[in-house]
Amino acid sequence: MERQTGIAMWRQIADEIRQSIAGGEYAAREILPGEMALAERFGVNRHTVRSAIAALVREGVLRAERGRGTFVEKRDRLRFRVGPRTRFSEGIAGQSSSGEGRLLRSGTEEADSVTADALGIAAGEKLVRVEMLYLVDRIPISVATNFFPAERFGDIAGHVRRTRSITAALAACGVGDYSRKWTTITARHADTADRQALSLSPGAIVLHGTALNVDAAGTAIQYANTRFAADRVELTVD
Amino acid sequence: MERQTGIAMWRQIADEIRQSIAGGEYAAREILPGEMALAERFGVNRHTVRSAIAALVREGVLRAERGRGTFVEKRDRLRFRVGPRTRFSEGIAGQSSSGEGRLLRSGTEEADSVTADALGIAAGEKLVRVEMLYLVDRIPISVATNFFPAERFGDIAGHVRRTRSITAALAACGVGDYSRKWTTITARHADTADRQALSLSPGAIVLHGTALNVDAAGTAIQYANTRFAADRVELTVD
DNA sequence: AAATATTTGTCCGTATGTATT
DNA sequence: TAATACATACGGACAAATATT
């Protein structure tokens, strides 16, 4: 906890408590130490701790009850596998019953140089852009911006809208199987659009995955840009 | 840019500029837009932009020259592969000539339940703890906390101190080859210790990798906890 | 049942940091 | 550089709900 860093003490404390919960230090429904105890631990006034707790209550991470204490509301991190057969729908199997994909936006645009390079096409060629939001147990987990070559996948947005699944939409376009060619992972602060889509507070972190999927013949079919709410997931590689 | 979030405007702007640079929006040695232009783009006063730039100059990300402009000092992100054969020394080959590992601390302690579980031993058994700092071109990239079963690797701290390499130290303990069994990746705000070790400013992000290495026979030999400065690296999976 | 302790919620005032003009 | 408005952080006092003895 440092002062005069441009980050308010109450926010630093809120971030640390949120991290402790995500890291398993406090189980769900467990009671948190009292305001006085936390204030002493962080070396601040009780009111400052109260600001931190208030922010986490607004986020839905904590619940405070007068006379009783403050309770943890949220669950552990979800685990996502990153590998050749990564698919959102399979990733959550066994961890939750209610995974859901929503089509946020779609449209057609021309490829910029980075995307064209990844997909192995010429810059300026037409692409279908599909923005998806994924939720588990009604909690937003990730937003993804997907690009598909328009020549081959001109109808894919409609299929996604109908099936709410990229895998199913690709199948409808004749791609029975596909695999992950590569994935790169970075982390950064969530921008305004991601914060809104994922219901995150300012200063929140996203894990940013960039990936290329290829069909059975090895032809690039999908360039994906996924932002995961960092305190709701962990990625596993194997 | 939002107000009343506990994060000062000048810090939000500094974070966004740092991210743009790490993401490749501004190349190294390129000139930044003027203070007035930036102030307009972020919707703030010129003084606020000046605070943000001053912070980035202190960090070494930017260099301001009176009458000429503000210049980008820092390089692109380093790429690290995550996979069965992940080793720090090989990871940086071809990207930089001067990678370096430093032994920060070492000691012996008893295994907590999480670490014991990962290594397949009983909680309370003795472990050797080895803390390493990795630098590339004199810039700190990651800190790692490694645990080895003391029974088999009691001397490993000395070997690491001498060779400055985990791979070489394991070889000295009779492990000629080893591989990565699994890796999990999360992201979070850097804590005080990590900020100090990696020369990060408050609010900075670390990519946190947890990994298990096994020897040729499949026996767990190393449990590692690596924190990468998020704006200096990207992880690739393939 | 009643008194006491503990915990969160609300109010006051004061000093400093942040952002604008 | 200075003046202004607002956010942050502190300190204390007390109220309200709950738990404990």
Side-chain angles (χ1 to χ4, degrees):
Chain A
M1 295 309 112
E2 281 175 61
R3 286 150 201 270
Q4 296 169 24
T5 59
I7 301 180
M9 298 292 290
W10 65 264
R11 175 146 291 286
Q12 296 185 50
I13 292 165
D15 289 340
E16 188 157 325
I17 292 174
R18 196 194 305 102
Q19 255 164 219
S20 300
I21 293 169
E25 194 171 316
Y26 301 109
R29 306 214 287 188
E30 190 175 348
I31 193 167
L32 222 64
E35 292 171 353
M36 300 295 255
L38 289 171
E40 184 157 6
R41 181 198 297 183
F42 291 115
V44 299
N45 189 275
R46 170 173 167 251
H47 295 298
T48 309
V49 168
R50 285 182 56 75
S51 297
I53 290 173
L56 293 171
V57 168
R58 281 194 302 272
E59 278 181 44
V61 175
L62 296 178
R63 172 177 41 90
E65 292 182 26
R66 158 140 55 170
R68 305 222 309 141
T70 306
F71 300 82
V72 175
E73 281 280 73
K74 269 200 186 166
R75 70 186 58 253
D76 289 343
R77 283 187 164 101
L78 286 166
R79 286 181 299 280
F80 284 88
R81 272 190 59 192
V82 178
R85 305 248 347 134
T86 297
R87 281 132 180 78
F88 180 82
S89 50
E90 294 173 16
I92 57 155
Q95 295 186 63
S96 165
S97 47
S98 64
E100 184 193 349
R102 281 188 203 160
L103 177 62
L104 289 183
R105 265 176 302 280
S106 65
T108 306
E109 62 188 66
E110 294 180 359
D112 63 30
S113 63
V114 174
T115 310
D117 206 44
L119 284 168
I121 61 176
E125 280 193 40
K126 291 288 182 189
L127 295 177
V128 179
R129 176 202 186 99
V130 176
E131 302 238 25
M132 300 279 292
L133 171 68
Y134 291 99
L135 303 98
V136 175
D137 294 341
R138 298 247 210 60
I139 299 166
I141 296 298
S142 65
V143 280
T145 305
N146 300 285
F147 294 98
F148 305 88
E151 190 184 356
R152 188 170 168 194
F153 300 99
D155 302 329
I156 198 162
H159 293 307
V160 171
R161 184 180 311 267
R162 215 184 57 247
T163 63
R164 302 181 156 207
S165 156
I166 297 286
T167 303
L170 284 170
C173 291
V175 178
D177 193 29
Y178 64 95
S179 65
R180 181 67 60 95
K181 190 165 182 202
W182 53 256
T183 307
T184 78
I185 299 168
T186 60
R188 54 177 181 76
H189 291 102
D191 63 28
T192 312
D194 291 342
R195 284 211 306 271
Q196 201 194 354
L198 295 170
S199 306
L200 295 173
S201 53
I205 299 171
V206 289
L207 273 162
H208 187 141
T210 307
L212 185 70
N213 281 333
V214 296
D215 64 14
T219 306
I221 57 171
Q222 177 191 12
Y223 181 70
N225 237 297
T226 308
R227 288 87 74 199
F228 293 89
D231 58 357
R232 296 172 195 163
V233 301
E234 66 180 31
L235 307 179
T236 76
V237 181
D238 48 11
Chain B
M1 294 310 111
E2 282 175 60
R3 287 146 201 271
Q4 299 166 30
T5 59
I7 303 178
M9 299 293 289
W10 65 265
R11 176 148 288 285
Q12 295 186 51
I13 293 165
D15 289 340
E16 186 156 327
I17 292 174
R18 195 193 307 103
Q19 238 161 237
S20 300
I21 293 169
E25 192 170 319
Y26 300 109
R29 305 210 289 189
E30 189 175 335
I31 195 168
L32 223 64
E35 290 174 357
M36 299 297 261
L38 288 172
E40 183 155 7
R41 180 164 119 200
F42 291 116
V44 299
N45 193 274
R46 172 170 163 266
H47 298 301
T48 309
V49 169
R50 283 180 60 76
S51 298
I53 290 174
L56 292 171
V57 168
R58 280 196 303 273
E59 277 180 45
V61 175
L62 296 178
R63 174 176 41 88
E65 290 182 26
R66 183 190 296 211
R68 300 224 302 143
T70 307
F71 299 83
V72 176
E73 283 279 70
K74 273 205 184 159
R75 70 185 58 252
D76 288 343
R77 283 188 164 101
L78 286 165
R79 284 181 301 282
F80 284 89
R81 269 189 61 192
V82 177
R85 304 253 342 139
T86 296
R87 280 134 181 77
F88 179 83
S89 50
E90 294 173 15
I92 58 155
Q95 297 185 64
S96 164
S97 48
S98 65
E100 184 193 350
R102 280 188 203 161
L103 177 62
L104 289 183
R105 265 176 301 279
S106 64
T108 306
E109 60 187 66
E110 295 180 358
D112 63 30
S113 62
V114 174
T115 310
D117 206 44
L119 284 168
I121 61 177
E125 280 194 40
K126 291 287 182 190
L127 294 177
V128 179
R129 177 200 185 100
V130 177
E131 301 237 26
M132 300 281 291
L133 172 67
Y134 292 99
L135 303 97
V136 174
D137 295 340
R138 297 245 212 63
I139 298 167
I141 296 298
S142 64
V143 279
T145 305
N146 300 284
F147 294 99
F148 305 88
E151 190 183 358
R152 187 170 169 194
F153 300 99
D155 303 330
I156 198 162
H159 293 305
V160 171
R161 183 179 313 266
R162 216 183 57 247
T163 62
R164 301 181 157 209
S165 156
I166 297 285
T167 303
L170 283 170
C173 290
V175 178
D177 192 30
Y178 63 94
S179 65
R180 182 67 60 94
K181 191 167 180 200
W182 51 257
T183 307
T184 76
I185 300 168
T186 60
R188 55 177 180 76
H189 291 100
D191 62 30
T192 313
D194 291 341
R195 285 211 306 270
Q196 200 192 354
L198 295 169
S199 305
L200 295 172
S201 51
I205 298 170
V206 289
L207 272 162
H208 187 141
T210 307
L212 185 70
N213 281 334
V214 296
D215 64 14
T219 307
I221 57 172
Q222 178 192 10
Y223 180 72
N225 236 296
T226 308
R227 287 85 75 200
F228 293 90
D231 58 356
R232 296 172 194 161
V233 302
E234 66 180 32
L235 306 180
T236 76
V237 180
D238 50 10

